[in-house]
Amino acid sequence: MDRLTGADLEVGPTRFALEVLPRSLRARLGPIAALATLVVGVLGVLYAGHGEPGGVDRWIIQPTADSVRPPWRRVALAVDFLGEPAGAATLIVAAVAGCLLLRRTRAAVLVVAGATVSVGTATLLKHLVGRTIHGDGNLSYPSGHTAFFTALGLIVALLATGRFGLGGTAGTSLVLAAALVAGAAMGWAQVALGAHYPTDVLGGWCTALAVTPATAWLVDRMADARRRKRR
């Protein structure tokens, strides 16, 4: 595991603990976010205006089929609920409450901002790409459910990395593992229920990877600027 150096803590342990994008991860997550942005763009161009599964989608699974049955269908519905407005709001409120109880105001801001930016970006891309499933009114690329749940997993991992002072390798591994688990869980539910094509899920996952670190960086910059003005 990488060790934090004196340069990492030169501004003092208090400020380091408050940062929602740990310094040890900035250089590593930047290229990952750039690659994720590229994947989102390429898939968006490939499937723009499409209303049928592509070759990759058909190779993985037929997304419009009833591919799971009880009890797994109930599991998929439960996971899907966590991406619906009521379920997502419950998760956000719980996460914000936890951050405030720990006196991590900046982290609470990231929970709201990260979820909002991820879902907002996915929604905008849906209208730009115009890919549909089950009819013209159902925009599908990228998956907003997957983007939201992946973003939430990323945020929790970023906060844990900063809280425990993990170095670059360990912190990056934790963040990517959290993103993979969260994205895979929600992505499976979306494809299993026929709500999205597999490539929609990949697009949603990459959307969260692209925008969440940038949102965390922006939250840090805005918070630091506000603190400087108060001095």
Side-chain angles (χ1 to χ4, degrees):
M1 180 179 74
D2 293 352
R3 293 183 178 274
L4 300 179
T5 65
D8 294 320
L9 299 171
E10 62 184 358
V11 294
T14 301
R15 178 173 172 184
F16 180 82
L18 288 174
E19 290 181 338
V20 290
L21 181 61
R23 293 186 171 196
S24 59
L25 300 188
R26 293 176 188 173
R28 296 170 183 250
L29 292 184
I32 293 173
L35 178 60
T37 301
L38 178 62
V39 172
V40 171
V42 170
L43 290 177
V45 171
L46 287 176
Y47 296 112
H50 287 205
E52 298 290 337
V56 175
D57 301 312
R58 292 191 180 92
W59 178 73
I60 297 174
I61 193 173
Q62 175 55 259
T64 58
D66 184 11
S67 55
V68 292
R69 299 183 181 279
W72 288 109
R73 184 170 181 81
R74 287 193 289 271
V75 174
L77 287 169
V79 174
D80 175 71
F81 172 75
L82 297 177
E84 293 292 323
T90 301
L91 289 177
I92 291 173
V93 169
V96 168
C99 291
L100 294 178
L101 286 173
L102 295 173
R103 298 182 180 180
R104 296 290 303 276
T105 305
R106 195 182 296 199
V109 172
L110 176 60
V111 170
V112 177
T116 301
V117 172
S118 295
V119 174
T121 301
T123 301
L124 176 62
L125 287 171
K126 282 183 179 181
H127 288 87
L128 290 175
V129 175
R131 190 186 196 188
T132 59
I133 187 170
H134 306 316
D136 293 339
N138 300 309
L139 297 174
S140 67
Y141 180 89
S143 166
H145 281 61
T146 306
F148 164 74
F149 211 57
T150 302
L152 202 60
L154 280 168
I155 291 167
V156 171
L158 285 173
L159 300 182
T161 298
R163 174 66 179 81
F164 297 110
L166 300 180
T169 300
T172 303
S173 298
L174 175 61
V175 168
L176 292 180
L180 182 60
V181 171
M186 184 59 75
W188 166 79
Q190 296 307 298
V191 175
L193 295 173
H196 282 284
Y197 305 114
T199 44
D200 294 337
V201 167
L202 177 59
W205 187 69
C206 287
T207 297
L209 280 177
V211 304
T212 305
T215 304
W217 178 87
L218 184 59
V219 168
D220 280 334
R221 298 290 71 74
M222 294 177 66
D224 289 342
R226 186 176 180 182
R227 290 179 65 186
R228 285 193 294 268
K229 287 181 179 180
R230 289 179 174 179
R231 291 177 181 176

